[in-house]
Amino acid sequence: MKLLKSLVSFVVGTIVGTLGNKLIGPFGAVLGFVAGGVAAWWVVARIGIFE
């Protein structure tokens, strides 16, 4: 289940990073990827999916 949580975080981080890249540029991609990954991890941990 830990791997599935990581996969969800990676997918959400990638999507948010792509949006950040289109809006701000390369810095937005990095910032969006990190923010999206952290947000996805927090949501998965908070609602208890996959436990």
Side-chain angles (χ1 to χ4, degrees):
M1 291 302 157
K2 201 171 197 179
L3 181 61
L4 192 53
K5 287 180 183 180
S6 298
L7 179 63
V8 169
S9 297
F10 179 75
V11 169
V12 172
T14 301
I15 291 169
V16 174
T18 301
L19 293 174
N21 186 31
K22 289 186 185 279
L23 295 175
I24 302 173
F27 180 72
V30 173
L31 186 63
F33 181 80
V34 171
V38 169
W41 174 82
W42 181 80
V43 168
V44 168
R46 178 84 172 147
I47 61 177
I49 294 179
F50 312 127
E51 287 189 15

